[in-house]
Amino acid sequence: MDILHNLALGAGVAFSLHGLLFCFVGVLVGTFVGVLPGIGPLAAISLALPLTYYLSPPIALIMLAGIFYGAQYGGSIAAILLNLPGTASAAVTCLDGNQLTKQGRPGVALFTAAIASFTGGIFALVMVLGFTPMIASFATDFGAQDYFSIMLLGLVAASTLSVGSPLKGMTMVVLGIALGMVGIDDTSGAERFTFGLLALSDGVNLVALAMGLFGVGEILANLGQTHREPLKTDGLTFRSMLPRREEWPGLWRTILRGSGIGAFVGALPGSGPAIAAFMSYAAEKKISRNPEAFGKGELRGVASPESANNAAVQAAFIPTLSLGIPGDAVMAVLLGAMILHGITPGPMLVTSEPEMFWGLVVSFGIGNFMLLILNLPLIRVWVRMLSIPYHVLYPAMLFFICVGVYSVRNSVFDIYSTLIFGVIGYFLIRLRYPPAPLLLGFILGPMMEVHFRRALLLGRGDYTTFFDSVPSTVFLILSALFLLLPLWSTFRRRTARLSKEGRD
Amino acid sequence: MTRPINWLQVGAAALLGLVGAFFVWHGSDYPMGSLRRMGPGFFPVIVGAVLLLFAILLVLEVAHSEKEKDFWIPRPILMVSAGFVAFAALLERAGLVPATLVMVILVSLAEKPLRPVSAAANAVALSVLGVVVFLYSFGIPVAAIHW
């Protein structure tokens, strides 16, 4: 059995002392940042990026991935107890989770969230295991034009499916691509947009950009805001956390449906855990016999989004690992981390770096078990975390950002660039421009340029080369649909409003 | 019922348009090459043009958008910037400990009310942590303190 052999290889990596240790560190840090409102997994992963220079690539990836899915577990805690989503994807969990807290059943909501997240994670793990090698072997025939087109699809989908204005999202993608061109051009060796600065000849530093936008920018945006009152926690015992017996059967079906929707949505390029959670909740409400119970403390309203967001997070690894196409900004940073470690992402990854792929998959299983233990018996520790005041936390985070970005290549220049990107990130947040697509464009941009030039070189300068292959044509048509859809819906909304105003 | 023009959003979109125009203008200084063998200038010009186009569309989209609340709160930006600049300036000249102390104190001033004791304690704790983690464990090439 080939797969058993591969799993044994992966287990060798994931169960090594380093593998277990850094998987634990990852899920621990992930839960921590997930619990704390105001720091997302992106900020935490960018903070941890410099540390990964001291680890071997598979271990580094195991840790970074652990932060990502750990944050989904943690995000539900603040959502349920405080009605504050610790991560964007936990926003849906607030609806019913916080209602349950108000009805005096916070423990049940927390227990359900943990079990749902765990099931979602394991479900998606099986999907990753089954689909990644399959898609990768399908994609080995991909030419340059197919790569260009699927990257375009990923970028368009990511920017138009995000919350808020699709046009702003797409503008951020293009700005990111533009930033990605700074430095030495891979194909010709010419220096572009470096303004004669030696420090820019390697390009804009990914760590500085990510930490600036998502670390410093977020902190600056949080600092100006009003403050939350500390939380009073009362007796959370394990017994009080178990759902009633009659609630169990329906709950399981909900969790499985949520896992399925989450894994499917998460695997699509451009749609992250937040969208998965939202879709799963909407579907559950639609098929429910009493939809009016949702939003008023329905346990299934917690189980559904929580299973979906954790499944989506792990399923997002499918396109990243099989095609080298990150679905969202977190995946883009992970991809950037792989590139920094000298690993070329793409369909060859599964076969050329088997330790990394199989080790990561096995670590998902281990990490989810660790999270279950961290979240059920130790829930009170996390609840206490919620009372750490922000004025202690944010100077510490800024300090780690400063010294972390310096340690990447011992460059003071990078500290200044982090600050500049932080201020830019702050204004982007205030002006409601989503910063995540910018990062996605920054990482995918240079790859797109290489494939674009190669495709046209092989196609003898003829643009129709992009329609010569079936995959490329399909991806381009899908991209066009994603581009036109928001335009069409704005148009419809506007005409509807105009006709309404006309009648009034 | 149309809202007044939101100059802030229009200005931001215009700024993005300027960035696009800059990429077109500066990118065209590099060799363009041909479609078959593109030079380093080709892609920047395309990307800059797309950015310019999106910026123009954005001006139309945001012209009458809702006004931003709390857009300009100078205190956090100024104090965090001061902390970063101080850290960058002191790190290699004075060492990690003074850089950390000054930085943490400065950024702690970003938020009202001031908490001198807690800020000082935080600064000392983080200096110790920084020395242990980054100097001894990771070995970044700076001194703890330059005498």
Side-chain angles (χ1 to χ4, degrees), chain A residues 51 54 148 165 167-168 170-172 174-175 177-179 181-182 185 188 190-195 216 220 223-224 227 390-396 398-404 406-407 410 412 415-416 418-419 423 426-427 430-433 445 448-449 452-453 456-457 460-461 463 501, chain B residues 1 8-9 12-13 16 19 22-23 26-27 30 35-40 42-44 46-47 50-51 54 57-58 61-62 65-66 68-73 76-77 80-81 84-85 87-89 91-92 96 100 103-104 107-111 115 118 122 126 129-130 134 138 140-142:
Chain A
L51 305 186
Y54 304 91
F148 174 80
S165 154
L167 186 58
K168 281 183 172 170
M170 284 188 287
T171 311
M172 286 297 102
V174 181
L175 187 65
I177 298 177
L179 264 181
M181 287 188 304
V182 173
D185 170 31
S188 64
E191 282 205 6
R192 295 189 293 189
F193 305 102
T194 58
F195 310 104
V216 182
L220 284 175
L223 276 177
H227 293 282
Y390 199 61
H391 65 86
V392 174
L393 209 60
Y394 84 85
L398 288 171
F399 165 68
F400 282 117
I401 289 172
C402 271
V403 67
Y406 175 80
S407 73
N410 305 321
V412 171
I415 302 178
Y416 290 116
T418 308
L419 174 64
V423 175
Y426 167 78
F427 285 117
R430 278 283 178 267
L431 292 168
R432 296 190 295 267
Y433 282 85
M448 278 176 85
E449 183 180 0
F452 185 68
R453 284 159 104 170
L456 279 179
L457 179 68
R460 297 170 196 285
Y463 281 119
E501 276 168 13
Chain B
M1 63 138 265
L8 197 64
Q9 287 278 0
L16 284 167
V19 174
F22 174 79
F23 267 79
H26 204 71
Y30 305 118
L35 264 187
R36 271 184 78 169
R37 202 169 284 276
M38 260 171 239
F42 194 90
F43 213 66
I46 297 185
V47 170
V50 174
L51 187 55
F54 280 178
L57 291 175
L58 264 177
E61 185 187 272
V62 299
S65 62
E66 208 174 315
E68 279 68 37
K69 286 175 293 196
D70 307 330
F71 174 73
W72 178 241
I73 306 171
I77 300 178
V80 169
S81 302
F84 267 65
V85 172
F87 187 84
L91 183 62
E92 287 179 347
L96 182 61
T100 309
M103 187 227 164
V104 175
V107 300
S108 296
L109 297 176
E111 209 186 30
R115 298 179 183 83
S118 141
N122 213 354
L126 286 173
L129 196 67
F134 287 92
F138 295 148
I140 58 170
V142 293

Side-chain angles (χ1 to χ4, degrees), chain A residues 179-379:
Chain A
L179 264 181
M181 287 188 304
V182 173
I184 291 174
D185 170 31
D186 284 342
T187 318
S188 64
E191 282 205 6
R192 295 189 293 189
F193 305 102
T194 58
F195 310 104
L197 287 169
L198 189 64
L200 278 179
S201 60
D202 280 344
V204 173
N205 186 347
L206 166 70
V207 180
L209 181 66
M211 283 211 211
L213 285 181
F214 300 101
V216 182
E218 290 277 343
I219 292 173
L220 284 175
N222 285 336
L223 276 177
Q225 300 213 325
T226 45
H227 293 282
R228 59 203 155 92
E229 65 262 53
L231 164 89
K232 277 193 225 74
T233 49
D234 27 355
L236 266 178
T237 58
F238 189 71
R239 274 192 73 93
S240 78
M241 294 177 75
L242 294 175
R244 293 191 205 105
R245 186 169 298 155
E246 69 271 16
E247 284 171 324
W248 275 105
L251 209 54
W252 276 117
R253 278 198 291 276
T254 302
I255 289 175
L256 286 179
R257 273 194 296 268
S259 307
I261 293 174
F264 178 73
V265 174
L268 297 177
S271 49
I275 295 168
F278 179 76
M279 283 180 65
S280 165
Y281 185 83
E284 197 61 37
K285 194 172 168 180
K286 192 157 266 175
I287 61 168
S288 166
R289 251 176 257 134
N290 45 346
E292 62 278 1
F294 280 81
K296 293 179 190 141
E298 169 67 56
L299 208 49
R300 289 155 71 185
V302 174
S304 174
E306 277 306 308
S307 55
N309 68 25
N310 207 38
V313 161
Q314 275 162 41
F317 279 88
I318 297 175
T320 312
L321 293 175
S322 63
L323 301 170
I325 313 289
D328 66 355
V330 178
M331 283 296 128
V333 173
L334 285 181
L335 204 70
M338 282 195 239
I339 298 171
L340 291 175
H341 280 287
I343 293 163
T344 326
M348 305 308 289
L349 187 90
V350 178
T351 38
S352 67
E353 307 275 346
E355 284 100 354
M356 184 150 101
F357 175 70
W358 297 101
L360 190 63
V361 173
V362 175
S363 87
F364 284 171
I366 301 174
N368 272 296
F369 269 106
M370 286 176 173
L371 280 165
L372 202 59
I373 295 168
L374 282 175
N375 275 271
L376 289 182
L378 298 178
I379 184 75

